[in-house]
Amino acid sequence: MNRLLICFLLVVAQLTYADDGYRLWLKYDPIANTSQRDAYSRSAQFIAANKTSPIIKSATDELQMGLQGLLGKSVPVLTGAGNRTGGILLEVTANTPEINEEGYRIAKRQNNIVISAKTDAGVLYGAFALLRHLQTGQPIEQLTLASSPKVKLRMLNHWDNPNGTIERGYAGGSLWKWYELPETIDPRYKDYARANASLGINGTVVNNVNASPRLLTGEYLQKVAALADVFRPYGIKVYLSVYFAAPKTLGDRTRPGLKTSDPLDPQVRQWWADKTKEIHQYIPDFGGFLVKANSEGEPGPQDYGRTHADGANMLAEAMKPYNGVVIWRAFVYKADPKADRFKAAYEEFTPLDGQFDPKVIVQVKNGPIDFQPREPFSPLFGNMPKTPLGIEFQLTQEYLGFATHLVYEAPLFKECLDADTYVKGKGSTVAKVVDGSLHGYTHTLMAGVANTGSDRNWTGHPMAQSNWYAFGRLAWDHTLTSEVIADEWVKMTLTREPTAVKRITNLLLKSRDIYVDYNTPMGLSRPWAGVHFAPEPWQSKSPRPDWTAVYYHRADSIGIGFDRTASGSNALAQYQPEVRQQWANPETCPLPYLLWFHHVPWTKKLSTGRSLWDELCTRFYTGADSVRWMQQEWTQVKPAIDPVFHADVAGRLATQQREAIWWRDAWVLYLQEYARQPIPAPFKKPDRTLEDVKQLVNIYLMR
Ligand code: BDP
């Protein structure tokens, strides 16, 4: 064979096999099983819809593209089906009592597959559900599926800045090319919308909660409007994070800037009313505002002696003529050296229950501190019956090892959603608070801080795509299990080979506990100060005590942990008696939460039969060792995975392994100075000193 031909074949092989992760779970690779493919093919001879609209067009386009890939044939879209059978009918109809506004029903009718919904968006979600059904290799003979989203606003929060950086982003720069917008539309915006729509995500906040006023200028609103135009055919609304002091900073056409941003000042109220009107001129279906106020130095109503409710209600008043909402974040904590940060959001917000305008939703982080690898649920859930509370999860792995640690987050989300608040007796789960069923909230919301960026594979760590996927699926239906979601994602994204699917699903399901074990076991939290990446449990100097590591773990010669019982900060009083009683007693407090609530002596014997010190060491060591197990599992599935994708993950797992040992060594060497006990057998003493580990950390802290 001549050289040129060999080169040509190599290039073709590369093009055919190299998987750079761009297609996410919407891969639509050919179905290998021919009898299955034939069966699908017989039922997909044409596509026809009973109406036309941009959203319906998105649905037919996606079906065509998906079927072309999966079945290897071009399926025509007909203007009407007539009496034809053997096709896919898309039907917007009021005659669907079992589903809600955005739900869908898929059923066989006269040898056609009929996707019915009340709205165009419902049809789009049904089209994606049908494709998922085929991608995951399920039978279609007796097809009957019906599903409705449990939460109304299912959204991503991007912490993207106008300069193209992303706060806590680990997948490159921002997806939004602000300097090129509005004239140049990156085709990627559409693929972003497709991916979200495939999960049922229907809103996106395009900018950082630490908001720049720039986004509110006419110049930038045109750019945001261009994004909204791309997202609209996918049922996705655009929202903006707003800078509360914008009236002062920006002013308007006639004034260089107001003297104040006081929410009770009539001029300020008028400013927001005008601005909201202007936004709607650019984006008629604008979703609404997201606000971080009086939190971590951001301006807010308290700067003028007003409350969060005053601030939120002012924006709600401006939004009154429109459909949009005001999402007000509850992530607040004051720089009070004596206070327990755990209690802050509850203390500031529960007294305001009942004072918020009906257009306001308060967005609460899943835990009381800040997206830690494991937190108890925030005590705000259930305790603001008159105020719709939305939940905020973090998909970007700020505290979960950035882009080098494989952590599948569905178990973290589920742990919180399934937690029982007991506010209305047993079964009052956080999920029921959030989906509105517990208190009858009119607005319901689940938000995920996005992990996307300009990296070709979207999420930096290719396996982190599963977190975007899992969030979207749970926002749609929080009753899905972590396992079902992982299984779907693996089949759609990685492989349909059954043993590999099982192995990878198992790996995903264990990954979060493994991370917690070497990083923050048994209720330890926030062992970071500088970068939220390198271990720094010794960190004790910062402008505020609650920005040090020692504030959280409180290690001393007696023991370790934060006493939040009545003898300590009494944060436990914020929970219902059923929860409080279980957690307040160190004998009944679940071990994963123990050090969140108790200062436990090193020598205390635990239910595992080990002393606290021995148990902690066991977790640090087995956690780090388990990363080796993850590597082995990943090696086993190599034949079933695209080589490029496989190699990428293998490299990251090797880094994770090295870093997990670093975490283990940092913790045990540091804590040993307090516990003054040997590393228990069979574990071996780290072969470096605490000083060595600190030196390594210092490298990451250098500017
Ligand atoms: C913290 C992040 C910080 C965010 C903040 C927030 O470190 O960058 O601005 O949360 O949620 O986790 O506002």
Side-chain angles (χ1 to χ4, degrees), residues 159 167-168 208-210 292 295-296 329 331 365 370-371 392 394 398-399 532:
W159 286 359
E167 176 142 352
R168 315 299 178 187
N208 193 354
V209 285
N210 300 317
K292 171 176 180 178
S295 162
E296 299 186 328
R329 294 176 88 226
F331 177 64
K365 286 190 182 182
D370 188 9
F371 298 139
E392 175 177 332
Q394 193 180 43
E398 175 180 1
Y399 299 102
H532 294 170

PDB file of all heavy atoms in Angstrom, residues 159 167-168 208-210 292 295-296 329 331 365 370-371 392 394 398-399 532, ligand 1:
ATOM      1  N   TRP A 159     -21.894  31.267  36.107  1.00  0.00           N
ATOM      2  CA  TRP A 159     -21.133  32.282  36.839  1.00  0.00           C
ATOM      3  C   TRP A 159     -20.111  32.894  35.879  1.00  0.00           C
ATOM      4  O   TRP A 159     -18.933  33.003  36.182  1.00  0.00           O
ATOM      5  CB  TRP A 159     -20.472  31.655  38.068  1.00  0.00           C
ATOM      6  CG  TRP A 159     -21.426  31.349  39.192  1.00  0.00           C
ATOM      7  CD1 TRP A 159     -22.771  31.579  39.244  1.00  0.00           C
ATOM      8  CD2 TRP A 159     -21.095  30.745  40.456  1.00  0.00           C
ATOM      9  NE1 TRP A 159     -23.293  31.163  40.449  1.00  0.00           N
ATOM     10  CE2 TRP A 159     -22.290  30.648  41.205  1.00  0.00           C
ATOM     11  CE3 TRP A 159     -19.907  30.278  41.029  1.00  0.00           C
ATOM     12  CZ2 TRP A 159     -22.321  30.107  42.507  1.00  0.00           C
ATOM     13  CZ3 TRP A 159     -19.938  29.741  42.304  1.00  0.00           C
ATOM     14  CH2 TRP A 159     -21.136  29.666  43.034  1.00  0.00           C
ATOM     15  N   GLU A 167     -16.251  32.412  37.020  1.00  0.00           N
ATOM     16  CA  GLU A 167     -15.972  32.226  38.443  1.00  0.00           C
ATOM     17  C   GLU A 167     -16.180  30.745  38.780  1.00  0.00           C
ATOM     18  O   GLU A 167     -17.245  30.178  38.493  1.00  0.00           O
ATOM     19  CB  GLU A 167     -16.934  33.101  39.258  1.00  0.00           C
ATOM     20  CG  GLU A 167     -16.781  32.892  40.743  1.00  0.00           C
ATOM     21  CD  GLU A 167     -16.931  34.174  41.548  1.00  0.00           C
ATOM     22  OE1 GLU A 167     -17.007  35.259  40.962  1.00  0.00           O
ATOM     23  OE2 GLU A 167     -16.947  34.061  42.784  1.00  0.00           O
ATOM     24  N   ARG A 168     -15.155  30.149  39.358  1.00  0.00           N
ATOM     25  CA  ARG A 168     -15.195  28.719  39.715  1.00  0.00           C
ATOM     26  C   ARG A 168     -15.471  27.825  38.505  1.00  0.00           C
ATOM     27  O   ARG A 168     -16.143  26.798  38.622  1.00  0.00           O
ATOM     28  CB  ARG A 168     -16.240  28.442  40.799  1.00  0.00           C
ATOM     29  CG  ARG A 168     -16.239  29.419  41.949  1.00  0.00           C
ATOM     30  CD  ARG A 168     -14.941  29.433  42.688  1.00  0.00           C
ATOM     31  NE  ARG A 168     -14.952  30.428  43.774  1.00  0.00           N
ATOM     32  CZ  ARG A 168     -13.882  30.726  44.491  1.00  0.00           C
ATOM     33  NH1 ARG A 168     -12.721  30.134  44.256  1.00  0.00           N
ATOM     34  NH2 ARG A 168     -13.949  31.609  45.455  1.00  0.00           N
ATOM     35  N   ASN A 208     -22.698  35.857  35.939  1.00  0.00           N
ATOM     36  CA  ASN A 208     -22.298  35.601  37.330  1.00  0.00           C
ATOM     37  C   ASN A 208     -23.212  36.297  38.349  1.00  0.00           C
ATOM     38  O   ASN A 208     -23.617  37.441  38.139  1.00  0.00           O
ATOM     39  CB  ASN A 208     -20.861  36.121  37.494  1.00  0.00           C
ATOM     40  CG  ASN A 208     -20.193  35.660  38.765  1.00  0.00           C
ATOM     41  OD1 ASN A 208     -20.823  35.030  39.617  1.00  0.00           O
ATOM     42  ND2 ASN A 208     -18.926  35.978  38.894  1.00  0.00           N
ATOM     43  N   VAL A 209     -23.463  35.614  39.460  1.00  0.00           N
ATOM     44  CA  VAL A 209     -24.219  36.242  40.547  1.00  0.00           C
ATOM     45  C   VAL A 209     -23.461  37.427  41.148  1.00  0.00           C
ATOM     46  O   VAL A 209     -24.073  38.352  41.689  1.00  0.00           O
ATOM     47  CB  VAL A 209     -24.577  35.238  41.663  1.00  0.00           C
ATOM     48  CG1 VAL A 209     -25.700  34.318  41.234  1.00  0.00           C
ATOM     49  CG2 VAL A 209     -23.357  34.448  42.127  1.00  0.00           C
ATOM     50  N   ASN A 210     -22.135  37.374  41.091  1.00  0.00           N
ATOM     51  CA  ASN A 210     -21.349  38.562  41.438  1.00  0.00           C
ATOM     52  C   ASN A 210     -21.394  39.412  40.166  1.00  0.00           C
ATOM     53  O   ASN A 210     -20.475  39.398  39.348  1.00  0.00           O
ATOM     54  CB  ASN A 210     -19.920  38.192  41.807  1.00  0.00           C
ATOM     55  CG  ASN A 210     -19.896  37.251  43.004  1.00  0.00           C
ATOM     56  OD1 ASN A 210     -20.616  37.449  43.976  1.00  0.00           O
ATOM     57  ND2 ASN A 210     -19.097  36.208  42.932  1.00  0.00           N
ATOM     58  N   LYS A 292     -27.873  38.293  44.029  1.00  0.00           N
ATOM     59  CA  LYS A 292     -27.048  38.030  45.206  1.00  0.00           C
ATOM     60  C   LYS A 292     -26.854  39.383  45.865  1.00  0.00           C
ATOM     61  O   LYS A 292     -26.211  40.265  45.297  1.00  0.00           O
ATOM     62  CB  LYS A 292     -25.705  37.438  44.775  1.00  0.00           C
ATOM     63  CG  LYS A 292     -24.683  37.313  45.897  1.00  0.00           C
ATOM     64  CD  LYS A 292     -23.404  36.630  45.406  1.00  0.00           C
ATOM     65  CE  LYS A 292     -22.372  36.507  46.512  1.00  0.00           C
ATOM     66  NZ  LYS A 292     -21.143  35.806  46.067  1.00  0.00           N
ATOM     67  N   SER A 295     -24.152  39.918  50.346  1.00  0.00           N
ATOM     68  CA  SER A 295     -23.489  38.635  50.531  1.00  0.00           C
ATOM     69  C   SER A 295     -22.090  38.760  49.958  1.00  0.00           C
ATOM     70  O   SER A 295     -21.937  39.227  48.822  1.00  0.00           O
ATOM     71  CB  SER A 295     -24.285  37.565  49.787  1.00  0.00           C
ATOM     72  OG  SER A 295     -23.516  36.403  49.576  1.00  0.00           O
ATOM     73  N   GLU A 296     -21.107  38.410  50.745  1.00  0.00           N
ATOM     74  CA  GLU A 296     -19.708  38.436  50.312  1.00  0.00           C
ATOM     75  C   GLU A 296     -19.351  39.752  49.619  1.00  0.00           C
ATOM     76  O   GLU A 296     -18.725  39.775  48.562  1.00  0.00           O
ATOM     77  CB  GLU A 296     -19.425  37.246  49.394  1.00  0.00           C
ATOM     78  CG  GLU A 296     -19.658  35.915  50.101  1.00  0.00           C
ATOM     79  CD  GLU A 296     -19.247  34.691  49.293  1.00  0.00           C
ATOM     80  OE1 GLU A 296     -19.345  34.721  48.062  1.00  0.00           O
ATOM     81  OE2 GLU A 296     -18.830  33.705  49.915  1.00  0.00           O
ATOM     82  N   ARG A 329     -31.336  35.241  46.232  1.00  0.00           N
ATOM     83  CA  ARG A 329     -30.551  34.179  46.869  1.00  0.00           C
ATOM     84  C   ARG A 329     -30.477  34.339  48.391  1.00  0.00           C
ATOM     85  O   ARG A 329     -30.387  35.461  48.908  1.00  0.00           O
ATOM     86  CB  ARG A 329     -29.128  34.145  46.307  1.00  0.00           C
ATOM     87  CG  ARG A 329     -29.103  33.742  44.849  1.00  0.00           C
ATOM     88  CD  ARG A 329     -27.717  33.815  44.303  1.00  0.00           C
ATOM     89  NE  ARG A 329     -26.940  32.606  44.469  1.00  0.00           N
ATOM     90  CZ  ARG A 329     -25.696  32.574  44.903  1.00  0.00           C
ATOM     91  NH1 ARG A 329     -25.088  33.680  45.302  1.00  0.00           N
ATOM     92  NH2 ARG A 329     -25.040  31.446  44.971  1.00  0.00           N
ATOM     93  N   PHE A 331     -28.021  32.987  50.118  1.00  0.00           N
ATOM     94  CA  PHE A 331     -26.636  32.686  50.496  1.00  0.00           C
ATOM     95  C   PHE A 331     -26.026  33.921  51.165  1.00  0.00           C
ATOM     96  O   PHE A 331     -25.430  34.775  50.525  1.00  0.00           O
ATOM     97  CB  PHE A 331     -25.844  32.295  49.243  1.00  0.00           C
ATOM     98  CG  PHE A 331     -24.392  32.032  49.503  1.00  0.00           C
ATOM     99  CD1 PHE A 331     -23.998  30.989  50.313  1.00  0.00           C
ATOM    100  CD2 PHE A 331     -23.408  32.830  48.925  1.00  0.00           C
ATOM    101  CE1 PHE A 331     -22.651  30.735  50.553  1.00  0.00           C
ATOM    102  CE2 PHE A 331     -22.063  32.590  49.163  1.00  0.00           C
ATOM    103  CZ  PHE A 331     -21.696  31.541  49.980  1.00  0.00           C
ATOM    104  N   LYS A 365     -29.149  27.427  48.802  1.00  0.00           N
ATOM    105  CA  LYS A 365     -28.171  26.370  48.504  1.00  0.00           C
ATOM    106  C   LYS A 365     -28.574  25.095  49.241  1.00  0.00           C
ATOM    107  O   LYS A 365     -29.170  25.163  50.316  1.00  0.00           O
ATOM    108  CB  LYS A 365     -26.764  26.796  48.927  1.00  0.00           C
ATOM    109  CG  LYS A 365     -26.164  27.838  47.997  1.00  0.00           C
ATOM    110  CD  LYS A 365     -24.684  28.080  48.276  1.00  0.00           C
ATOM    111  CE  LYS A 365     -24.157  29.174  47.350  1.00  0.00           C
ATOM    112  NZ  LYS A 365     -22.718  29.458  47.517  1.00  0.00           N
ATOM    113  N   ASP A 370     -21.830  25.907  52.130  1.00  0.00           N
ATOM    114  CA  ASP A 370     -21.479  26.323  50.772  1.00  0.00           C
ATOM    115  C   ASP A 370     -21.021  25.150  49.914  1.00  0.00           C
ATOM    116  O   ASP A 370     -19.819  25.000  49.684  1.00  0.00           O
ATOM    117  CB  ASP A 370     -20.353  27.379  50.859  1.00  0.00           C
ATOM    118  CG  ASP A 370     -20.065  28.017  49.523  1.00  0.00           C
ATOM    119  OD1 ASP A 370     -20.824  27.772  48.584  1.00  0.00           O
ATOM    120  OD2 ASP A 370     -19.080  28.775  49.427  1.00  0.00           O
ATOM    121  N   PHE A 371     -21.949  24.375  49.395  1.00  0.00           N
ATOM    122  CA  PHE A 371     -21.622  23.356  48.398  1.00  0.00           C
ATOM    123  C   PHE A 371     -20.490  22.416  48.814  1.00  0.00           C
ATOM    124  O   PHE A 371     -19.634  22.053  47.985  1.00  0.00           O
ATOM    125  CB  PHE A 371     -21.243  24.020  47.076  1.00  0.00           C
ATOM    126  CG  PHE A 371     -22.320  24.850  46.440  1.00  0.00           C
ATOM    127  CD1 PHE A 371     -22.014  26.073  45.853  1.00  0.00           C
ATOM    128  CD2 PHE A 371     -23.638  24.415  46.403  1.00  0.00           C
ATOM    129  CE1 PHE A 371     -22.997  26.842  45.237  1.00  0.00           C
ATOM    130  CE2 PHE A 371     -24.634  25.180  45.790  1.00  0.00           C
ATOM    131  CZ  PHE A 371     -24.304  26.400  45.199  1.00  0.00           C
ATOM    132  N   GLU A 392     -30.634  25.365  45.053  1.00  0.00           N
ATOM    133  CA  GLU A 392     -29.477  25.621  44.194  1.00  0.00           C
ATOM    134  C   GLU A 392     -28.422  24.566  44.474  1.00  0.00           C
ATOM    135  O   GLU A 392     -27.974  24.413  45.608  1.00  0.00           O
ATOM    136  CB  GLU A 392     -28.945  27.030  44.498  1.00  0.00           C
ATOM    137  CG  GLU A 392     -27.672  27.406  43.782  1.00  0.00           C
ATOM    138  CD  GLU A 392     -27.226  28.857  44.068  1.00  0.00           C
ATOM    139  OE1 GLU A 392     -28.086  29.718  44.354  1.00  0.00           O
ATOM    140  OE2 GLU A 392     -26.016  29.111  44.020  1.00  0.00           O
ATOM    141  N   GLN A 394     -24.579  22.901  43.034  1.00  0.00           N
ATOM    142  CA  GLN A 394     -23.421  23.341  42.262  1.00  0.00           C
ATOM    143  C   GLN A 394     -22.919  22.182  41.406  1.00  0.00           C
ATOM    144  O   GLN A 394     -22.501  21.154  41.925  1.00  0.00           O
ATOM    145  CB  GLN A 394     -22.303  23.828  43.192  1.00  0.00           C
ATOM    146  CG  GLN A 394     -21.209  24.591  42.448  1.00  0.00           C
ATOM    147  CD  GLN A 394     -20.104  25.086  43.364  1.00  0.00           C
ATOM    148  OE1 GLN A 394     -19.645  24.360  44.247  1.00  0.00           O
ATOM    149  NE2 GLN A 394     -19.652  26.305  43.173  1.00  0.00           N
ATOM    150  N   GLU A 398     -16.299  23.134  42.356  1.00  0.00           N
ATOM    151  CA  GLU A 398     -15.483  24.051  43.156  1.00  0.00           C
ATOM    152  C   GLU A 398     -14.871  23.351  44.360  1.00  0.00           C
ATOM    153  O   GLU A 398     -13.720  23.596  44.707  1.00  0.00           O
ATOM    154  CB  GLU A 398     -16.354  25.225  43.627  1.00  0.00           C
ATOM    155  CG  GLU A 398     -15.624  26.160  44.567  1.00  0.00           C
ATOM    156  CD  GLU A 398     -16.454  27.341  45.045  1.00  0.00           C
ATOM    157  OE1 GLU A 398     -17.636  27.454  44.659  1.00  0.00           O
ATOM    158  OE2 GLU A 398     -15.906  28.163  45.804  1.00  0.00           O
ATOM    159  N   TYR A 399     -15.648  22.533  45.019  1.00  0.00           N
ATOM    160  CA  TYR A 399     -15.162  21.834  46.214  1.00  0.00           C
ATOM    161  C   TYR A 399     -15.049  20.332  45.970  1.00  0.00           C
ATOM    162  O   TYR A 399     -14.964  19.557  46.913  1.00  0.00           O
ATOM    163  CB  TYR A 399     -16.101  22.098  47.391  1.00  0.00           C
ATOM    164  CG  TYR A 399     -16.206  23.562  47.778  1.00  0.00           C
ATOM    165  CD1 TYR A 399     -17.305  24.329  47.402  1.00  0.00           C
ATOM    166  CD2 TYR A 399     -15.197  24.187  48.512  1.00  0.00           C
ATOM    167  CE1 TYR A 399     -17.409  25.669  47.749  1.00  0.00           C
ATOM    168  CE2 TYR A 399     -15.291  25.528  48.863  1.00  0.00           C
ATOM    169  CZ  TYR A 399     -16.402  26.265  48.479  1.00  0.00           C
ATOM    170  OH  TYR A 399     -16.495  27.587  48.832  1.00  0.00           O
ATOM    171  N   HIS A 532      -9.723  26.616  46.327  1.00  0.00           N
ATOM    172  CA  HIS A 532     -10.584  25.571  46.899  1.00  0.00           C
ATOM    173  C   HIS A 532     -10.215  24.219  46.300  1.00  0.00           C
ATOM    174  O   HIS A 532     -11.051  23.499  45.781  1.00  0.00           O
ATOM    175  CB  HIS A 532     -12.050  25.902  46.635  1.00  0.00           C
ATOM    176  CG  HIS A 532     -12.491  27.135  47.355  1.00  0.00           C
ATOM    177  ND1 HIS A 532     -13.685  27.763  47.132  1.00  0.00           N
ATOM    178  CD2 HIS A 532     -11.873  27.858  48.320  1.00  0.00           C
ATOM    179  CE1 HIS A 532     -13.787  28.824  47.919  1.00  0.00           C
ATOM    180  NE2 HIS A 532     -12.691  28.902  48.642  1.00  0.00           N
TER     181      HIS A 532
HETATM  182  C1  BDP B   1     -18.938  30.365  46.762  1.00  0.00           C
HETATM  183  C2  BDP B   1     -17.926  30.699  45.741  1.00  0.00           C
HETATM  184  C3  BDP B   1     -18.007  32.121  45.260  1.00  0.00           C
HETATM  185  C4  BDP B   1     -19.451  32.453  44.881  1.00  0.00           C
HETATM  186  C5  BDP B   1     -20.336  32.173  46.067  1.00  0.00           C
HETATM  187  C6  BDP B   1     -21.812  32.376  45.770  1.00  0.00           C
HETATM  188  O1  BDP B   1     -16.653  30.469  46.276  1.00  0.00           O
HETATM  189  O2  BDP B   1     -17.148  32.271  44.180  1.00  0.00           O
HETATM  190  O3  BDP B   1     -19.550  33.776  44.477  1.00  0.00           O
HETATM  191  O4  BDP B   1     -20.209  30.838  46.462  1.00  0.00           O
HETATM  192  O5  BDP B   1     -22.505  31.368  45.646  1.00  0.00           O
HETATM  193  O6  BDP B   1     -19.048  28.974  46.780  1.00  0.00           O
HETATM  194  O7  BDP B   1     -22.268  33.494  45.673  1.00  0.00           O
END
